[in-house]
Amino acid sequence: MPLRVVETIDEVRASLAARRDSGAIGLVPTMGALHAGHASLIERARAECATVVVSIFVNPLQFDRADDLARYPRPLRADLSLCEQSGTDVVFAPAPEEIYPEPPDVTVHVGETAKHLCGAFRPGHFDGVATVVLKLFTIVQPDIAYFGEKDAQQLAIIRRMVADLNLPLKITPVATVREADGLALSSRNQHLNAAERALAPALFRALAAAKEAVAAGAGDAETVKRGAAATIPADERLRLEYLELVDPRTFQPVQRVTGAVVAAGALWVGTTRLIDNVLCTPP
Ligand code: AMP
């Protein structure tokens, strides 16, 4: 079946109406500028679902900085070709006015799960994410939606939204796809120049150091965090925004490591903000 590209809510609903009886519908929400990380979500959906829908929408509601929204890459032609190669049936690529014909007056508010890490540094970000994801869920009505562990706080929030609002679908997490040197694939990596690209794996290395310390039995979160942050080279282009150990479900910071924790960090490399996380398990 050739790839179908639709831009309106009516079209996406019409194109899925005939397919609902033939098996599960899988949704992969994205903001485009697709890479092998996104492809891994699409391929997982392809393996599990009769119909695979990829949404490509740069959601203005979740951007806290106008410059970040303005420079977010939008290579639609290349994205469609990656979607086709990864086995997508329907791409939903709406214009902002299709999703927000007027500024929304009713939105989703995320509480404690959004309080720390990215939520603390990007005001309103996760409310914007949860609102658009809920809209995509009601537009596409998928049986399964796929989210990357790369954005672990986002994944925890979506899971909590599905539980709290009784949304009738399953959330499937997909492991982070990385470059050979550990850098997590991200649409924002293309903003890095060669020198910044060489510095960028510092974030993953710091998180890997935290993982190693926890695996070796370190129990004091402050000590683990300090040791991990100390691995980041002193370079004026690098600025650590946060490095935290949090509970994997609630995303609240922990003081003592008594079970599995997520080590999560945000690192500015020049003018580009990168995030990453790893699961740390005590011995
Ligand atoms: P984005 O387009 O950045 O909003 O990402 C769309 C989806 O792809 C989200 O569920 C992300 O967590 C996921 N994703 C982004 N980068 C990666 C990666 N390197 N590995 C796995 N999933 C990813």
Side-chain angles (χ1 to χ4, degrees):
M1 191 92 77
L3 179 68
R4 182 127 196 248
V5 183
V6 298
E7 294 176 3
T8 69
I9 294 166
D10 284 347
E11 281 173 308
V12 77
R13 287 203 170 129
S15 66
L16 294 175
R19 296 172 181 254
R20 286 200 190 276
D21 291 338
S22 41
I25 292 179
L27 171 65
V28 180
T30 82
M31 297 204 300
L34 303 180
H35 49 64
H38 299 108
S40 135
L41 271 66
I42 300 170
E43 285 157 12
R44 177 74 180 272
R46 179 73 286 160
E48 297 180 354
C49 302
T51 301
V52 176
V53 182
V54 174
S55 61
I56 298 178
F57 181 59
V58 182
N59 175 33
L61 215 58
Q62 73 188 68
F63 282 80
D64 52 314
R65 292 182 299 123
D67 63 314
D68 191 26
L69 174 61
R71 79 166 181 163
Y72 203 86
R74 293 163 169 88
L76 186 62
R77 201 184 283 263
D79 285 350
L80 295 181
S81 127
L82 182 141
C83 285
E84 188 149 40
Q85 280 159 26
S86 315
T88 307
D89 298 301
V90 178
V91 169
F92 177 44
E97 310 77 60
E98 180 70 8
I99 299 298
Y100 304 113
E102 59 184 326
D105 192 39
V106 177
T107 55
V108 179
H109 173 63
V110 186
E112 292 297 305
T113 325
K115 196 164 168 193
H116 302 282
L117 314 181
C118 288
F121 288 93
R122 302 187 66 188
H125 169 66
F126 285 121
D127 286 0
V129 170
T131 300
V132 82
V133 168
L134 179 58
K135 282 166 75 74
L136 290 167
F137 286 174
T138 58
I139 291 166
V140 173
Q141 296 175 36
D143 300 285
I144 312 176
Y146 296 82
F147 288 87
E149 289 176 351
K150 153 87 170 28
D151 301 283
Q153 189 173 18
Q154 167 175 286
L155 171 61
I157 286 168
I158 300 301
R159 284 180 147 148
R160 192 62 204 254
M161 176 172 79
V162 166
D164 285 353
L165 302 183
N166 306 102
L167 304 180
L169 80 162
K170 182 182 157 197
I171 301 298
T172 294
V174 178
T176 302
V177 177
R178 301 179 179 283
E179 303 281 6
D181 60 9
L183 176 67
L185 267 55
S186 164
S187 308
R188 289 187 175 87
N189 292 354
Q190 53 185 276
H191 297 318
L192 303 171
N193 64 32
E196 292 167 344
R197 172 63 188 81
L199 290 166
L203 177 56
F204 174 68
R205 286 198 206 113
L207 299 173
K211 185 181 173 78
E212 223 172 276
V214 168
D220 176 49
E222 202 49 52
T223 312
V224 173
K225 288 189 277 183
R226 219 175 303 127
T231 68
I232 295 177
D235 186 300
E236 61 183 13
R237 289 161 293 188
L238 297 180
R239 185 171 68 78
L240 187 63
E241 188 175 85
Y242 67 77
L243 194 159
E244 237 347 308
L245 298 189
V246 297
D247 177 280
R249 197 183 76 83
T250 64
F251 267 70
Q252 302 305 301
V254 301
Q255 252 106 60
R256 297 287 313 165
V257 180
T258 53
V261 293
V262 171
L267 179 71
W268 285 89
V269 183
T271 57
T272 303
R273 182 179 177 276
L274 303 177
I275 61 166
D276 199 353
N277 69 91
V278 301
L279 187 68
C280 308
T281 326

